Amino acid sequence: MANIQSLRGMNDILDKDSELFTYFIENASRIAKNYGFTYIETPILEETSLFKRSVGESSDIVNKEMYQFIDKGENDVCLRPEGTAGVVRSFVQNKLDRAGGNYRWYYYGPMFRYERPQKGRLREFHQFGCEVFGVSSVYEDANIIMMIKDILDFFKIGFKLQINSLGCQTCMPVYREKLVNYLTNIKEELCEDCNRRIVTNPIRVLDCKVENCQKLLYNAPKITHNLCEKCDTDFEKLKEILDFNNIEYEIDTNLVRGLDYYSQTAFEFTSNEIGAQSAIAGGGRYDRLVEFLGGRPTAGIGFAIGIERLLELIKTEDVKKESIYLGALCEEALNVLTKVAAKKRKDYKTFIEYTPRGFGKHFKIAEKNSATIVALIGENEIKEGTIYTKNLKTKEEKTIKLEDF
Ligand code: HAM
């Protein structure tokens, strides 16, 4: 009988990957907390209509990529394809839209999209995301971008930042009409997908990856030239704050994002070191989403980082911390080692080898476990109340008083 394999596009996370994964979560969470975010966890399974009403029926995510099924109670449910919708549902369900005030939440966990798997594109992948409610100031847009930069800088990851403004309910419809007029005139030359989108979601045409379509779109009206006064002022201010903080960016008027809930600021961080699926983080403002999901109008903004894509870029040697290997040279030393371990574990990763062995064998196991310090106790050390130590990096050896270790 053939062994059972994990599903296509769904991976286990273990060994080196899990070390990187937890290293990322710990440090991204720490940075988010420093920015005033607290953790939120929402269910992985939600009603399908949640994503239809938020991500949008015309988006590829909802249209083609949902893991959707009818459960045993006849409910139409699906595995979440992204995190924002669930967080907004929770915000409304807990009546926080009525309470007023600001809320800043971060989350991480698995997301599911039935896409064609390839490098950097999975069917089950993980996101680290943040969502902010009740803050309409464009300073928050800049704050969010600076926070993502802080996270990427911490992990020494180079990036390119693209920003755009998608306007609001005043200027977007006027722009959309102009765009549809332009697109209708070149309809015959555009690809099949674009033709479908002219009707369902014309803004997404700007995002078409077909080279010929991109050429034809070169002269299309640009959203940033069609913003109302408020959106224009906000976008100018955002650029000013980013400039003031020396954050480099490009304006990409074709950056429309694959989810329908955005208004005003939209942004994407990309890396040129991970192949075609280069987006490592994306997000933007969604000031109407709380309303779409039945809540009182509340400003919202957030982002999500694709963890698997990021892990490709984190250097393993950055993760390694000091770790201690404790070994017994005789049976009696084991008891002493349990005490030493309890003390050292308050600050260091500490491993005890339970089988008493000779020097050479202990060093072999310690190296295999990538320990940085080897500490051994034998009969002599017990008698003298000492411990033998060797730093495997500097090769320095010394025997010291147990209480000084
Ligand atoms: P998104 O751009 O769809 O936005 O996804 C965010 C990130 O998740 C992407 O930049 C990418 O790194 C990663 N990602 C997406 N799909 C896959 C995949 N199939 N395999 C591996 N990684 C993937 C959102 O999901 C929004 N909820 C972000 C947001 C939060 N906007 C406001 N708040």
Side-chain angles (χ1 to χ4, degrees):
M1 226 183 342
N3 288 343
I4 296 169
Q5 306 285 313
S6 68
L7 296 175
R8 208 158 98 80
M10 301 199 180
N11 294 336
D12 302 314
I13 302 175
L14 70 165
D15 287 346
K16 287 249 158 13
D17 291 341
S18 75
E19 227 173 283
L20 282 176
F21 189 92
T22 48
Y23 175 68
F24 171 77
I25 297 293
E26 278 167 22
N27 288 290
S29 303
R30 177 180 51 74
I31 295 170
K33 284 186 221 164
N34 285 352
Y35 273 78
F37 286 76
T38 53
Y39 182 68
I40 182 169
E41 178 142 348
T42 62
I44 290 170
L45 201 60
E46 296 266 10
E47 256 183 54
T48 302
S49 57
L50 171 64
F51 301 104
K52 288 192 172 166
R53 274 163 67 181
S54 54
V55 177
E57 301 220 39
S58 64
S59 67
D60 282 351
I61 295 178
V62 168
N63 231 323
K64 305 183 191 159
E65 298 169 0
M66 296 240 275
Y67 276 88
Q68 182 183 357
F69 60 96
I70 305 295
D71 74 4
K72 291 193 169 71
E74 300 291 307
N75 306 297
D76 188 348
V77 297
C78 76
L79 294 175
R80 63 181 183 195
E82 58 103 52
T84 311
V87 174
V88 177
R89 181 213 30 78
S90 173
F91 177 77
V92 176
Q93 186 173 337
N94 287 289
K95 301 193 171 52
L96 300 173
D97 55 327
R98 287 151 193 268
N102 305 335
Y103 300 86
R104 288 187 170 81
W105 288 323
Y106 75 91
Y107 54 88
Y108 50 86
M111 310 291 159
F112 301 83
R113 297 183 191 174
Y114 196 83
E115 298 195 77
R116 200 166 48 78
Q118 53 172 264
K119 184 173 155 38
R121 195 203 271 156
L122 296 162
R123 288 182 173 169
E124 182 188 30
F125 59 98
H126 295 75
Q127 284 185 346
F128 178 92
C130 285
E131 312 294 348
V132 180
F133 296 93
V135 186
S136 56
S137 165
V138 70
Y139 277 94
E140 189 64 21
D141 306 35
N143 195 42
I144 286 284
I145 289 175
M146 287 167 73
M147 172 170 159
I148 303 169
K149 181 185 180 298
D150 273 359
I151 294 177
L152 298 177
D153 283 353
F154 176 83
F155 295 106
K156 304 188 189 121
I157 292 171
F159 61 83
K160 230 166 78 181
L161 164 64
Q162 273 137 344
I163 60 169
N164 192 18
S165 173
L166 297 174
C168 63
Q169 54 189 130
T170 310
C171 50
M172 181 40 105
V174 182
Y175 168 70
R176 191 182 292 122
E177 210 176 305
K178 272 194 194 171
L179 182 66
V180 170
N181 283 341
Y182 178 88
L183 298 175
T184 313
N185 283 331
I186 55 165
K187 208 170 149 161
E188 265 82 70
E189 294 162 84
L190 289 168
C191 75
E192 211 177 291
D193 259 356
C194 285
N195 269 282
R196 193 171 41 81
R197 284 183 172 143
I198 296 177
V199 187
T200 58
N201 192 355
I203 310 298
R204 284 302 310 274
V205 173
L206 297 172
D207 196 26
C208 181
K209 299 288 176 279
V210 177
E211 205 178 312
N212 187 47
C213 296
Q214 274 308 325
K215 271 191 206 145
L216 293 164
L217 292 168
Y218 189 74
N219 290 319
K222 307 280 179 267
I223 174 70
T224 46
H225 299 160
N226 289 274
L227 295 173
C228 64
E229 205 184 323
K230 156 98 173 71
C231 290
D232 191 44
T233 312
D234 277 354
F235 196 47
E236 289 305 315
K237 187 76 195 171
L238 174 64
K239 290 188 270 178
E240 185 193 310
I241 308 168
L242 295 179
D243 289 337
F244 188 73
N245 284 284
N246 301 322
I247 296 179
E248 281 180 35
Y249 58 87
E250 273 171 19
I251 296 163
D252 179 357
T253 52
N254 289 346
L255 176 72
V256 295
R257 312 268 304 127
L259 309 96
D260 290 353
Y261 47 64
Y262 294 108
S263 54
Q264 294 205 300
T265 306
F267 56 82
E268 227 158 61
F269 286 73
T270 56
S271 160
N272 56 15
E273 287 174 46
I274 48 170
Q277 302 305 316
S278 61
I280 46 180
R285 193 161 264 293
Y286 48 81
D287 287 346
R288 302 206 54 215
L289 184 52
V290 173
E291 254 175 292
F292 291 160
L293 293 176
R296 289 194 181 158
T298 308
I301 179 165
F303 73 90
I305 292 176
I307 300 181
E308 281 83 356
R309 290 186 193 171
L310 216 70
L311 297 193
E312 298 255 319
L313 296 162
I314 300 178
K315 312 257 176 320
T316 342
E317 53 272 23
D318 287 343
V319 182
K320 293 256 161 359
K321 285 198 210 112
E322 295 261 289
S323 69
I324 301 173
Y325 173 95
L326 298 177
L329 298 163
C330 62
E331 189 74 38
E332 300 73 55
L334 278 169
N335 276 358
V336 187
L337 289 183
T338 54
K339 247 193 192 162
V340 177
K343 181 177 154 200
K344 290 322 249 182
R345 280 181 181 139
K346 296 201 175 16
D347 300 306
Y348 297 97
K349 182 166 140 187
T350 304
F351 172 85
I352 309 185
E353 167 57 40
Y354 295 129
T355 312
R357 300 176 188 279
F359 249 68
K361 187 74 189 168
H362 275 310
F363 276 105
K364 272 205 187 111
I365 308 175
E367 272 161 26
K368 210 166 152 205
N369 283 286
S370 314
T372 42
I373 309 277
V374 177
L376 306 175
I377 295 184
E379 280 168 13
N380 280 344
E381 284 80 9
I382 296 180
K383 245 187 263 152
E384 282 156 26
T386 57
I387 185 163
Y388 161 87
T389 63
K390 180 167 181 179
N391 185 321
L392 292 186
K393 268 197 229 152
T394 62
K395 309 284 178 229
E396 190 192 353
E397 285 179 275
K398 51 187 177 184
T399 299
I400 52 171
K401 281 269 170 221
L402 203 50
E403 59 264 31
D404 297 335
F405 178 57

